[in-house]
Amino acid sequence: MITDPLSAITAMVLAAAICQWLGARFGIPSVVPLLAAGVAMSAVLDPDEIFGDLLFTAVGLGVAVLLFEGGTTLHWQNLTTGRDTVIRLVTIGAAITWAIGAAASWWLLDIDGSHALLIGAILIVSGPTVVIPLLRTARPSEPTRSILRWEGIVIDPVGAGLAIIVLDAIIEDRSVGRVALRVLTTFGSGLLIGGVVGLTVIGALRHRVIENRLEVSVTLAAVVVAYGAANTVRPEAGLVAVTVLGMVFANQRRAAAAHIAEFNEHLGAAILGVLFIVLGARVNLDAITANLTASAAITVVLVGLARPAAVFAATFRGDLGWPDRAFLMALAPRGVVAAAVASLFAIELEHNNIDPGPLVPVVFTVVVATVTLAGLTAGIVARKLQVARPDPKTVAMIGGGRFAIELAERLSDLGIVSLHVGLDDTDAAEASRRGQLVYQGRLDTEEFLDTVTASGVGT
C-alpha cells in the first residue's frame, strides 16, 4: 500500500497523464481509461487515509477550477437557437430526472423516500468533467454542442444545491419557508459573489492594474476567493460562484482574457485526470458488488427513460430537428461532481448518526456506467444521426507571404483548403483574388476562434 502523500500524488499524476495520452492516441474519451486506472489503483492507494479531510477540500477546489474553465466557454451569443432549451433542461428536465431517479432508487434499493430523493437529486448532476471531453470526441454541430456544454456546466450547481436541501431535510426538519430561503441564499450568494469578483478582476485587467505576467495567477486566486467566500455563506454556493465568474469572463469585451482561458483549459485537463483517478481509487469493491444489480437497473432507467423524457419536455415545439434531439437524448453521463457530492454527504450523514446506506456505491456505479457508455457510443451515435461535424482538414498558415500563397495553391490542387493568418494587406488581397481564405483580425478574440472552427482548421 502507498501511504506517503508525495508518492501517492506522484502515482496519480503519472497515471492520469498516461491515461490521457492513451485516450488521445487511440481516439477514445480519456475518462474511460482514467476510471479503469483509478479502480485498479484502489488496491494500493486509499486517498481518504492518505489525505484525510483535506481530500474533499482539494476535490472541491479542483471542481471549482473545472467549472470556471467551463464557464469561460459559455458565450451567450452562441445560444441564439438553443437558449430556451438549456433553460428548460436545467429546470423542467432536472425535475423530471430527479423524480424518475428518486422513484427508481426507492423501488430498486428498498430505502426510505428521503434517501431516495437524495440519490435522485445527486444523479441530476452531469458536469463538464465528462461532457466536454465527450464533445471533443463526438464533435456535434451547433447548436447541439453549445446546448450540451451549457447544460453540463449549469446543471452542477443546480443538482448540488437541490441535494443540499434534501440532505438538510433528512438531518433536521425544516419548514417550507426555511427551505425556500436556503435555496435563495445558496444561488443568490453564488450569483452575487461570482459577479462581483468577476467584474472586479476584469476592471483591474482593463485599467492595467495587474501586470501581464500576473494576470493568470490573479485570476486563479479570484477563482479560489469566489469559491471560498460563497461556500462560507452557503455550502455548494461556491459552485454557482465560479460558474458565474467564468461566464462573466466569457461574455465581456472590456479586457482581453483569451490567454487566461487557454491556460485554465490546460490546468483543467490536468486536474480532471487526477480527479478521476481519485474517484476510482476510493471505490469499495464489496459495496459496489452488493448493489451492482440495482445500480445497473437505475442506470438503465436514467439513460433509457429519464433522459429521453427530460429532453423531450425541454425541446417540445422547439427549433431543434429530431437528429439533434435524439443525440441529446443519447448523451446522459454523470461526472466527478456527483461522486464527490455523494461522498461528502455520506460523511455528513455519518456525523449525524444516520446510515448513508448505498448512497456512495450506487452513485459511483452509475457514474462509471454512464461515462463508459457515453464514451464508447457518443461518437458513433453522432455520426449515425449525422449531427457530427466533418473532420477538420483545413490548413491554417501563419504569415509566409508569397510563399504561403503559392503553397496554398499547390494544396488546393490536392483538395486541401487553406486559411491565411497574418498576411499584410497586399498579400492578403492577392490571396483573396486567388479564392483563398484570409483572416486579418485580432488573434485574441472570439472572432478568430469562430473563424478557425467554421473553416475546419485541423493543422
Side-chain angles (χ1 to χ4, degrees):
M1 287 290 293
I2 299 176
T3 57
D4 175 54
L6 180 58
S7 299
I9 292 172
T10 302
M12 289 189 294
V13 170
L14 179 60
I18 292 174
C19 290
Q20 288 175 318
W21 175 82
L22 288 172
R25 179 68 178 81
F26 295 102
I28 60 175
S30 60
V31 292
V32 176
L34 282 169
L35 284 172
V39 173
M41 292 180 69
S42 66
V44 296
L45 183 68
D46 185 350
D48 295 83
E49 182 178 338
I50 295 172
F51 301 106
D53 293 339
L54 285 176
L55 176 65
F56 293 104
T57 301
V59 169
L61 287 172
V63 171
V65 172
L66 290 173
L67 286 175
F68 169 73
E69 187 261 318
T72 59
T73 68
L74 299 182
H75 301 280
W76 195 242
Q77 70 270 19
N78 289 349
L79 274 178
T80 53
T81 59
R83 195 171 300 173
D84 293 340
T85 300
V86 171
I87 294 173
R88 288 193 291 265
L89 279 172
V90 300
T91 52
I92 300 172
I96 292 173
T97 303
W98 182 28
I100 294 177
S105 300
W106 174 75
W107 184 46
L108 294 165
L109 295 171
D110 192 24
I111 55 179
D112 62 64
S114 58
H115 281 72
L117 287 171
L118 180 61
I119 293 176
I122 294 174
L123 290 178
I124 291 173
V125 174
S126 174
T129 53
V130 292
V131 172
I132 292 176
L134 289 172
L135 292 179
R136 290 172 183 153
T137 301
R139 296 177 50 79
S141 56
E142 295 292 355
T144 304
R145 179 183 180 86
S146 290
I147 289 172
L148 286 167
R149 184 186 291 271
W150 273 80
E151 182 203 9
I153 295 170
V154 175
I155 200 68
D156 269 2
V158 171
L162 184 60
I164 289 172
I165 296 168
V166 178
L167 179 68
D168 282 349
I170 294 175
I171 293 176
E172 56 181 288
D173 293 331
R174 294 183 184 274
S175 65
V176 175
R178 294 187 66 185
V179 169
L181 177 63
R182 191 165 179 83
V183 173
L184 291 174
T185 52
T186 297
F187 286 91
S189 59
L191 288 168
L192 177 63
I193 292 173
V196 169
V197 173
L199 293 175
T200 302
V201 175
I202 288 168
L205 291 174
R206 183 190 180 192
H207 293 97
R208 307 288 184 182
V209 176
I210 304 171
E211 294 183 33
N212 290 344
R213 62 188 178 88
L214 297 177
E215 289 179 351
V216 171
S217 59
V218 170
T219 304
L220 284 176
V223 173
V224 176
V225 168
Y227 177 75
N231 267 13
T232 301
V233 179
R234 286 295 185 197
E236 307 308 329
L239 297 180
V240 180
V242 293
T243 303
V244 171
L245 178 61
M247 291 171 62
V248 170
F249 267 82
N251 293 281
Q252 57 83 32
R253 294 292 180 268
R254 295 177 175 270
H259 59 296
I260 296 174
E262 181 181 2
F263 173 82
N264 279 286
E265 181 179 355
H266 297 310
L267 177 63
I271 291 174
L272 173 67
V274 175
L275 283 178
F276 271 106
I277 293 292
V278 170
L279 173 63
R282 296 190 68 254
V283 174
N284 183 327
L285 293 178
D286 292 336
I288 293 287
T289 303
N291 294 279
L292 188 59
T293 301
S295 300
I298 291 172
T299 301
V300 171
V301 171
L302 289 173
V303 174
L305 177 60
R307 180 61 177 179
V311 171
F312 180 81
T315 59
F316 184 67
R317 291 183 178 178
D319 297 328
L320 285 180
W322 277 109
D324 295 290
R325 294 185 187 184
F327 184 73
L328 291 176
M329 292 177 182
L331 205 67
R334 269 59 183 167
V336 69
V337 176
V341 169
S343 299
L344 289 169
F345 286 6
I347 292 174
E348 186 71 22
L349 289 170
E350 290 170 354
H351 285 170
N352 288 273
N353 298 316
I354 300 173
D355 182 12
L359 172 63
V360 174
V362 168
V363 171
F364 177 82
T365 304
V366 172
V367 169
V368 172
T370 55
V371 166
T372 303
L373 179 64
L376 295 176
T377 62
I380 298 173
V381 172
R383 289 189 293 273
K384 292 291 186 182
L385 293 173
Q386 298 182 345
V387 299
R389 291 178 295 164
D391 292 334
K393 295 180 180 179
T394 301
V395 175
M397 299 188 188
I398 315 300
R402 292 285 171 158
F403 172 78
I405 294 174
E406 294 299 327
L407 177 57
E409 284 282 308
R410 304 288 79 76
L411 291 174
S412 179
D413 294 340
L414 299 173
I416 299 173
V417 179
S418 300
L419 170 68
H420 292 289
V421 179
L423 293 181
D424 60 32
D425 291 342
T426 302
D427 288 337
E430 175 62 18
S432 296
R433 187 186 66 79
R434 299 193 188 193
Q436 298 172 10
L437 300 179
V438 177
Y439 176 81
Q440 288 187 285
R442 291 174 57 86
L443 302 187
D444 58 346
T445 63
E446 281 301 313
E447 181 186 3
F448 175 63
L449 297 178
D450 291 341
T451 300
V452 167
T453 301
S455 304
V457 172
T459 304

